[in-house]
Amino acid sequence: MTTTWQEGLRQQQPQLADEHATVSDIAAELNSSGLPTAPHIVARLFHELDGDRAAVHEVAAALTAAQRSGQRMLPTLLPLVPSVEALSVGIDPGDEDRLTLLTAALSIDDDLEPLLIAASRSAEDLLRPGIAEHLRASNGRFALTRRRTAIWLQHAATPQETACAHRKLERAHRVRGDEAIAAWHAARGAVERRPEIASPLTNAAGELRDRGETDRAFAFAIEASEHAAPLWREHAHLIAGTTAASAGCFDDANDLLADLASSSNHAVRAGSLTALLIAQTCGRGTIPTLDTEARPPRAGDPRLWRAWARTTGLAAVLCAERGATSAMRSWLAEAREADTTAGAGGEVRDPAVALCWMLTGEADADPIEASGTFSGALLDALRSAMDGDVVEGRQGLARSALSVPEDDPLIPGFERSPLTGAYLAVTEALLRFWSGDIEDARACLAAAALRLPVGIPFAGLGAVLARRIDIAIDGASGPVARAISATLPDGIRIDTLVDSGLSAYLLGESEQAATDIALWRDRGAPEPPLALAGLEEVGPFVDRERVEPPDASAARSLLQRIRGLTESSWRHEHREIAEAGRTLTSSFERGRVEALLGSTSLVHGDLPGGRRHLRAARRLFEDAGAHAWKDAMDARIAGVRTTQDAMSDPMTDPIAVIRDDDALAAGRAAWETLLTQRELEVAMRVAAGSENREIATALDVSVRTVEVHVRHLFDKLGARNRVELAVMAHRAGRVF
């Protein structure tokens, strides 16, 4: 049995790219129609409805907003919509064939033998005209020619026909010894409660959940609860609720688990707490607070204390994801005590502690090991990246994908769930982004988005990452990224100001970019727990620790250093910074350094040097697949060429001194990528010798406003006074 994440990795093939393109189009259409739908839900509907786009639109409109966003499970039977109902036109199989097709539609197993037993048919009967065009059978398996036919058949059948078909399937599966499947059909075909089938259904649901078959596990558990006596009903709700949480369906999980947290059954209560905390934190944004009333009795069963250790450990990780370090420390203290009381020997505690230190960027003197399928793979990959070996981190994830999944002490039973698969997939895409492989990162995240709730991990990191990748490649967030963002649970909020600032910056709209980044800083500069490249080229720096690989930290430091250079320090430090930039292994990060060196060279009057850096940046961005950044470099290079051609006398040598009366025009061209429009106007007037009062009168602003602009000019351009700024403006008009 493979994990959902592994399945996604193995299916990154050409047909997946075609499916992604179609799903992207449908997601964009649904969003524009006021029906935002998560990409993995769109892909699921697309598959279940045979790729019928009209049917996908109609079914999405019939679903609730929570179902479209993935916060609730899709119904076992999708609604009957006009596009599906139209399938009945021209279909007139005889009653016997129609009942055979209904039996096939109701079966949850594609084994041919039980179908033949239930329908009292032979394999040769299925080859006759009429039924053969709707049902395929080969190698002991069967499938309806069109999945949509199953929806129509079930809606068109009478309750008596449906119950009869289920009872026949029950008997057929009992003959073969398939007790779990027989119990399912017994429950669906029952006309009254049958408490005796609740136990096998609940047990089967737990096994299905552990195998990662969340849809079937949820359906089995809900069906079991309908027939169960009170004791088994709690167990069934526990399986259904934890399954819903593991799939990211937090509304369902909250509904099913809320009452179980106060159950008198200690095992049920302990089993519900972890999933309930995840659902309430991710779904509603409720940062978990320590409730000692939920603790097991101090003399209780060690198994209950182990469950409590898992609950407290994961609560600490959820707090770390959201930057709630004080609450995180309280939960970690409780996790340590619970692990000790349970005699777990750190097996549960250690991965939780290590993940918390990783997500908060706090140094751990003695690195803690974690061997779990999920926690171990995640920690090893991130640690490799933090140690400067992003490639090793990616290779480690790839190796873990090929290994046989084993129990993870931190999340037993959830190793194959969609939610853990989403965490691993987002981590894989993040490592690709960090290493500068922007297009590879998008392909990885796109493949995962069709199958997993990728917006949930790390407090919305997947949504932010999807947007940043799209902006780097296309200059704006795409339909899948927008759909992920629009369908995030209420408990996950992301800030899009950096994204809008980046888009504006790449379009050459420096003033809008600076405004967006300033507003972002005023809001507290919110970021995901694992840092992504922002827009250090514009606006104020946010000086704080970030969880990122050394390449990203070094690039950010170089960008800050470039922006802080003065006129006097430029020539000496320029070469040193350029040399340091060449040590960066990420093409994308090095490209950003080269790009700012290019723009700053123009400010300091070095047009050939500026053009050289911009050309280097262009090539690096092209290598990284960051095409929007490459296009921005093309625009800047063209601007330099245009300015130089306009200033040069075609009858003189190409490196001749430029005419003095054109100097300020050249300065304006050199500075326009670094300054806002109003700052540029002030700078030109300062360079021309105007005093602050004269500038205020000309621009119809206060003298105080001009003084603020001038101070910003000195900071951005590295000038110490008005004279130095004027010299810089005139020097930009000369080619060296």
Side-chain angles (χ1 to χ4, degrees):
M1 177 61 64
T2 60
T3 66
T4 310
W5 175 59
Q6 291 168 345
E7 179 185 355
L9 288 175
R10 294 179 181 182
Q11 293 186 17
Q12 291 184 36
Q13 300 170 344
Q15 62 265 31
L16 187 61
D18 294 339
E19 181 183 351
H20 178 261
T22 305
V23 168
S24 297
D25 289 344
I26 297 174
E29 293 163 1
L30 290 171
N31 200 44
S32 63
S33 301
L35 298 169
T37 307
H40 67 289
I41 301 299
V42 178
R44 168 84 177 275
L45 295 178
F46 184 77
H47 179 65
E48 294 292 333
L49 298 168
D50 306 308
D52 186 328
R53 295 175 70 135
V56 173
H57 277 266
E58 292 169 1
V59 169
L63 297 175
T64 66
Q67 288 170 331
R68 288 195 301 272
S69 67
Q71 300 312 299
R72 289 196 183 276
M73 288 283 192
L74 289 177
T76 304
L77 177 61
L78 291 178
L80 184 64
V81 295
S83 293
V84 175
E85 194 170 15
L87 292 173
S88 63
V89 177
I91 297 179
D92 187 26
D95 283 344
E96 187 178 18
D97 286 349
R98 183 175 63 81
L99 292 175
T100 298
L101 291 173
L102 174 62
T103 304
L106 292 172
S107 180
I108 62 169
D109 187 278
D110 65 352
D111 194 333
L112 181 59
E113 185 179 353
L115 172 64
L116 296 177
I117 295 172
S120 301
R121 308 293 291 270
S122 68
E124 290 73 21
D125 291 338
L126 304 185
L127 300 176
R128 296 204 317 259
I131 194 171
E133 62 186 275
H134 302 296
L135 187 68
R136 299 191 304 270
S138 64
N139 299 320
R141 302 291 173 184
F142 74 89
L144 290 169
T145 305
R146 291 179 293 189
R147 290 173 175 268
R148 290 168 295 167
T149 306
I151 301 172
W152 169 68
L153 285 164
Q154 292 178 74
H155 278 286
T158 66
Q160 293 78 12
E161 289 173 333
T162 299
C164 180
H166 275 301
R167 288 194 292 270
K168 290 180 178 179
L169 284 166
E170 175 197 355
R171 289 193 293 271
H173 281 285
R174 289 202 189 282
V175 168
R176 288 171 50 86
D178 302 329
E179 293 301 323
I181 297 178
W184 163 261
H185 287 296
R188 299 293 285 179
V191 294
E192 58 185 15
R193 287 181 62 249
R194 294 182 56 180
E196 75 278 5
I197 61 177
S199 174
L201 272 179
T202 302
N203 292 334
E207 293 175 2
L208 289 166
R209 180 200 60 191
D210 294 348
R211 295 206 300 265
E213 299 180 38
T214 51
D215 292 319
R216 187 177 292 190
F218 185 80
F220 270 48
I222 291 297
E223 197 63 42
S225 71
E226 295 294 324
H227 292 270
L231 176 62
W232 275 105
R233 187 175 301 122
E234 281 196 335
H235 283 286
H237 281 171
L238 175 62
I239 297 295
T242 54
T243 299
S246 76
C249 299
F250 301 129
D251 286 356
D252 283 328
N254 273 306
D255 290 348
L256 290 160
L257 299 175
D259 291 339
L260 300 185
S262 57
S263 171
S264 58
N265 185 312
H266 293 305
V268 169
R269 185 178 67 188
S272 68
L273 286 175
T274 300
L276 184 60
L277 275 175
I278 293 172
Q280 290 183 342
T281 304
C282 297
R284 299 177 180 175
T286 305
I287 298 294
T289 55
L290 187 59
D291 179 8
T292 54
E293 293 298 320
R295 303 172 77 192
R298 289 206 174 265
D301 189 334
R303 290 174 298 180
L304 299 182
W305 279 101
R306 181 179 281 266
W308 178 242
R310 288 196 296 269
T311 297
T312 54
L314 284 172
V317 173
L318 291 172
C319 290
E321 285 185 347
R322 287 152 180 79
T325 55
S326 178
M328 177 199 78
R329 293 179 187 281
S330 297
W331 282 109
L332 281 181
E334 189 73 10
R336 291 186 178 98
E337 181 180 347
D339 185 277
T340 300
T341 306
E347 193 177 50
V348 180
R349 172 201 65 213
D350 288 352
V353 170
L355 280 170
C356 285
W357 293 156
M358 176 64 66
L359 294 173
T360 56
E362 297 188 28
D364 189 9
D366 298 312
I368 300 172
E369 299 300 324
S371 58
T373 300
F374 167 70
S375 55
L378 199 64
L379 278 167
D380 288 347
L382 291 173
R383 278 176 173 164
S384 293
M386 295 304 108
D387 290 339
D389 197 344
V390 179
V391 174
E392 171 57 31
R394 289 169 53 180
Q395 291 173 345
L397 280 179
R399 287 192 296 269
S400 71
L402 298 175
S403 63
V404 178
E406 299 175 352
D407 289 346
D408 189 312
L410 186 62
I411 52 165
F414 293 88
E415 296 86 354
R416 301 163 182 81
S417 70
L419 194 54
T420 55
Y423 268 88
L424 292 169
V426 169
T427 301
E428 166 73 6
L430 175 66
L431 294 186
R432 291 172 185 260
F433 183 80
W434 274 345
S435 64
D437 298 327
I438 308 300
E439 286 186 308
D440 284 351
R442 177 149 80 173
C444 175
L445 196 57
L450 298 186
R451 290 163 175 79
L452 303 167
V454 296
I456 295 172
F458 304 113
L461 173 65
V464 179
L465 180 59
R467 297 174 68 93
R468 295 286 169 85
I469 290 172
D470 281 350
I471 291 169
I473 295 175
D474 302 321
S477 58
V480 168
R482 291 196 299 273
I484 294 171
S485 300
T487 55
L488 288 173
D490 290 341
I492 297 176
R493 288 281 182 264
I494 61 172
D495 195 303
T496 60
L497 280 170
V498 174
D499 300 334
S500 59
L502 275 166
S503 294
Y505 179 74
L506 293 175
L507 290 173
E509 300 171 359
S510 298
E511 185 166 6
Q512 182 60 56
T515 299
D516 289 339
I517 296 303
L519 289 172
W520 170 73
R521 183 202 58 181
D522 292 344
R523 288 185 181 180
E527 287 186 298
L530 302 170
L532 297 173
L535 190 54
E536 286 79 9
E537 292 85 346
V538 171
F541 277 93
V542 177
D543 187 18
R544 67 176 178 217
E545 290 296 322
R546 291 156 60 104
V547 182
E548 60 190 358
D551 244 22
S553 296
R556 189 160 43 84
S557 177
L558 290 174
L559 292 173
Q560 186 170 9
R561 188 175 168 189
I562 294 168
R563 285 184 49 196
L565 290 176
T566 64
E567 174 70 9
S568 59
S569 63
W570 165 252
R571 289 191 178 279
H572 168 68
E573 294 197 44
H574 162 259
R575 293 180 182 177
E576 187 178 311
I577 293 172
E579 187 67 28
R582 284 191 281 274
T583 66
L584 299 175
T585 58
S586 166
S587 297
F588 181 64
E589 296 291 3
R590 183 180 169 190
R592 292 178 65 205
V593 172
E594 290 285 349
L596 192 57
L597 281 172
S599 297
T600 310
S601 293
L602 300 180
V603 168
H604 291 279
D606 184 2
L607 269 66
R611 189 167 55 223
R612 187 166 57 250
H613 284 300
L614 293 176
R615 285 174 174 168
R618 181 198 183 281
R619 179 56 187 269
L620 289 164
F621 289 138
E622 186 175 35
D623 288 345
H627 301 298
W629 283 84
K630 176 187 74 68
D631 292 344
M633 295 305 101
D634 283 337
R636 292 185 190 181
I637 293 168
V640 173
R641 186 180 302 114
T642 299
T643 300
Q644 187 172 349
D645 290 346
M647 294 187 302
S648 299
D649 186 340
M651 300 303 294
T652 63
D653 189 276
I655 60 171
V657 176
I658 305 306
R659 298 189 304 273
D660 287 341
D661 57 352
D662 290 324
L664 290 183
R668 175 183 290 273
W671 290 350
E672 63 184 358
T673 61
L674 297 176
L675 305 179
T676 69
Q677 188 60 40
R678 180 48 59 92
E679 287 171 346
L680 191 59
E681 291 299 325
V682 173
M684 292 299 98
R685 293 177 185 275
V686 170
S690 298
E691 297 296 329
N692 286 353
R693 189 170 298 280
E694 295 175 303
I695 298 172
T697 300
L699 299 181
D700 195 23
V701 296
S702 69
V703 174
R704 174 60 181 158
T705 298
V706 175
E707 290 172 350
V708 171
H709 283 312
V710 171
R711 187 168 64 252
H712 288 170
L713 290 173
F714 291 166
D715 290 340
K716 288 186 175 183
L717 300 176
R720 289 173 295 185
N721 51 51
R722 302 169 78 91
V723 173
E724 195 168 276
L725 188 146
V727 170
M728 292 172 63
H730 284 81
R731 286 185 60 186
R734 300 185 181 277
V735 181
F736 295 88

